[in-house]
Amino acid sequence: MPEPVLLTSVFADDIPTGDSLRQLVELAYQYGPFLFALLFILFVSRWAYNNYRAVSQDAHATAKERATNRWILIASFGVGVVLVLLASVAWWSHQRTFVYQGEISGLKEYEHVASSTLFRREVIASRIDDRAPGIRDEQFVAISSRPFSDGDSFVLRFSKGDGHVDTFEIPFVKGEGPRFEIQWNDEKHATELRRYKSAPEPRHARLLVPIVYAAEEERSAAEQSQGAVQSRIDPAFQLEKITVPTLQNERSSVGAKLDALATLERTAAPSIFFPGSGKEPLTITLIDLSRHSDRELAYRARHLLDTWNVDRKLAEALRTTNESARARGEQILYRMDPADASRVLSQTGETSNLQQLRSNVASGRKVQNLRPTGSAQGDRYYVKATWNPASQSTVSCLTKAFNDSLQGDRTPAQEKPAMSTRNTRVAYWYDKSWALGMADQITACGAEASFVSMAATSKS
């Protein structure tokens, strides 16, 4: 009687070895139970099938042997299917990756964000004007192995340059792609993170930049201690040699200026003519910064002017018989907004020697209201010229003035045809004295000069 054909191994040559075995081990490490369930179906069920087929084709096999192998085949296949189902459920329940994504909208060039828990990508928004500083959005993604829930939050650090760093918590918000913005709140006297309420900007109006920022590491202890080191500097030295020069440096960042203003808030009010030497009195610097495009910087500059009672001190300087002090007071007055200048003059009484000054303020003559616009490279000062193109002498004069002052390859002869067909032009540079000088040249040419903010410029 022949040997019974029962549970015969027919796939010994198929056992993986060498590189194929190493690949299986790597797959097992990556896919875990799901891979073992597939292997059960592929190998054990195949083994059971080959045994059953061999027994079925053996004429000497008994009915019991055929029945035994048939049930082994059915059982192995059934167990394999159940294992695959269980492994799939386990993988779906425990190995899923959950993603929370959103956007921080309307960040300026000089505003920076960082996070150790978020991955970010810049989205450059279309510019209002080709000379205007850029605006961008920051798309962020948080990844977790568990579902997000109400109460979850993600730490975000925010800075406007070299100064103070604000820390916010981005909350988990249900819904598709929540949008946030970071804005200064005048009433709360603080920068805050809040939901963006405007309608989403159409995606076709944006230029996607393939730059992705991974989650950053937290600041080192050395970086965090820099502020403590600065606080040990002699206050008088810091005021004259660090704080004031920082505020009067057009290339310093918005963050550095905010840090300098914070230092001034802890300082006793100096003379309105302080410092006696340098670019200009600190009071003029603060007046110009009170019109800055950055709302927080403008607010803090205005608040400091009010705290130091500049209006009252300036009115006293204008009433004095000291001609030098009065002349310096007039210089400050002409840099104020007309409404603020009129308020100061109302505190001087009916002094006859101020009638011309009152007339100049009322008419706008000699008034110089600079409007700094923040950018990544520093504060820009925009000057706008308005003229009558029919006046050839004005057009020729302005053509030479712009050609001499601005960087470019065009000659005055190439500039003039374009200047003859238009009546306005806007130029800027990172220099307050340049802006004042350019305005004087425009006025000398018989045109009207004005200082404008970024939002007021028109494409040329």
Side-chain angles (χ1 to χ4, degrees):
M1 183 176 180
E3 292 293 329
V5 184
L6 179 63
L7 304 181
T8 304
S9 175
V10 295
F11 63 97
D13 293 339
D14 296 331
I15 297 176
T17 58
D19 292 339
S20 60
L21 179 60
R22 183 166 53 255
Q23 292 175 0
L24 282 176
V25 172
E26 292 175 355
L27 289 173
Y29 180 79
Q30 183 175 359
Y31 295 103
F34 188 75
L35 178 66
F36 286 112
L38 289 177
L39 290 177
F40 189 94
I41 286 183
L42 292 176
F43 288 97
V44 176
S45 297
R46 181 183 174 190
W47 167 75
Y49 171 73
N50 286 335
N51 278 322
Y52 175 69
R53 185 179 60 177
V55 171
S56 299
Q57 294 175 352
D58 187 353
H60 302 289
T62 66
K64 183 177 180 180
E65 292 172 343
R66 293 190 178 93
T68 300
N69 281 270
R70 183 187 307 113
W71 282 111
I72 291 175
L73 172 62
I74 295 174
S76 63
F77 181 78
V79 170
V81 171
V82 171
L83 288 176
V84 170
L85 291 175
L86 292 176
S88 299
V89 172
W91 175 82
W92 182 260
S93 301
H94 301 289
Q95 300 298 326
R96 291 179 62 189
T97 298
F98 297 88
V99 176
Y100 173 54
Q101 60 183 359
E103 184 176 274
I104 303 170
S105 301
L107 291 172
K108 303 178 182 64
E109 277 186 352
Y110 55 84
E111 294 179 331
H112 309 281
V113 293
S115 175
S116 60
T117 56
L118 299 175
F119 295 86
R120 299 175 292 107
R121 182 180 70 171
E122 285 186 351
V123 179
I124 307 300
S126 56
R127 294 195 179 198
I128 299 174
D129 187 281
D130 56 3
R131 290 178 304 274
I135 300 293
R136 76 184 190 283
D137 300 332
E138 291 264 357
Q139 297 177 344
F140 64 82
V141 171
I143 300 175
S144 175
S145 60
R146 64 170 181 82
F148 295 102
S149 59
D150 294 338
D152 288 344
S153 62
F154 314 92
V155 175
L156 181 78
R157 299 193 304 277
F158 172 77
S159 173
K160 295 182 179 180
D162 305 315
H164 177 71
V165 176
D166 291 301
T167 301
F168 303 108
E169 289 192 355
I170 297 180
F172 169 72
V173 179
K174 293 181 179 179
E176 183 177 354
R179 301 180 72 192
F180 302 89
E181 62 180 355
I182 300 175
Q183 294 290 345
W184 171 259
N185 189 316
D186 285 350
E187 296 179 358
K188 296 181 180 179
H189 307 163
T191 302
E192 62 181 10
L193 174 77
R194 61 194 183 194
R195 290 294 300 276
Y196 189 83
K197 300 184 183 301
S198 301
E201 182 181 352
R203 291 290 173 180
H204 66 267
R206 298 178 177 179
L207 173 64
L208 293 181
V209 178
I211 300 178
V212 178
Y213 298 95
E216 296 89 353
E217 295 182 359
E218 296 292 339
R219 297 173 66 201
S220 65
E223 292 174 322
Q224 295 175 357
S225 65
Q226 287 180 353
V229 173
Q230 292 181 356
S231 65
R232 293 195 292 268
I233 298 176
D234 178 69
F237 177 86
Q238 180 168 346
L239 178 63
E240 186 170 355
K241 301 300 183 181
I242 300 177
T243 304
V244 173
T246 298
L247 292 172
Q248 295 183 342
N249 180 8
E250 293 90 344
R251 291 287 189 171
S252 65
S253 68
V254 170
K257 288 184 172 71
L258 286 171
D259 209 30
L261 288 176
T263 300
L264 289 180
E265 290 172 355
R266 301 188 296 269
T267 305
S271 164
I272 60 173
F273 304 127
F274 174 85
S277 60
K279 298 178 68 171
E280 63 188 13
L282 176 59
T283 304
I284 288 181
T285 303
L286 294 176
I287 291 173
D288 290 342
L289 291 178
S290 70
R291 291 184 289 268
H292 200 281
S293 63
D294 186 87
R295 291 177 56 189
E296 179 181 4
L297 183 54
Y299 171 86
R300 293 194 180 280
R302 288 195 304 269
H303 177 70
L304 204 55
L305 291 168
D306 293 340
T307 303
W308 286 355
N309 293 317
V310 168
D311 285 8
R312 177 180 59 79
K313 294 177 181 178
L314 183 56
E316 292 174 355
L318 293 174
R319 286 198 305 265
T320 184
T321 56
N322 185 317
E323 293 185 3
S324 175
R326 189 166 64 246
R328 288 185 292 171
E330 291 179 3
Q331 180 190 13
I332 295 174
L333 190 75
Y334 285 135
R335 297 293 277 273
M336 302 179 79
D337 290 332
D340 295 335
S342 298
R343 185 178 65 250
V344 171
L345 288 172
S346 68
Q347 301 177 35
T348 61
E350 297 298 328
T351 308
S352 59
N353 60 355
L354 297 179
Q355 291 303 319
Q356 184 61 46
L357 186 59
R358 298 178 192 276
S359 176
N360 289 341
V361 169
S363 64
R365 291 193 300 270
K366 298 186 178 181
V367 174
Q368 299 171 316
N369 294 156
L370 293 173
R371 301 182 181 280
T373 299
S375 75
Q377 295 76 33
D379 287 344
R380 297 179 178 181
Y381 288 88
Y382 290 84
V383 183
K384 180 179 180 180
T386 305
W387 67 91
N388 180 5
S391 174
Q392 290 301 310
S393 60
T394 299
V395 170
S396 298
C397 182
L398 288 175
T399 300
K400 185 178 186 307
F402 278 109
N403 192 264
D404 290 345
S405 299
L406 303 178
Q407 298 176 354
D409 299 329
R410 292 188 292 186
T411 64
Q414 294 171 324
E415 289 269 11
K416 190 171 182 180
M419 295 288 288
S420 300
T421 58
R422 61 194 301 179
N423 64 352
T424 62
R425 185 170 183 177
V426 177
Y428 75 87
W429 193 239
Y430 305 90
D431 191 323
K432 189 183 295 188
S433 60
W434 173 90
L436 293 170
M438 191 67 194
D440 289 341
Q441 291 186 62
I442 292 171
T443 303
C445 288
E448 178 185 348
S450 57
F451 302 101
V452 296
S453 64
M454 177 271 294
T457 62
S458 58
K459 191 172 183 178
S460 60

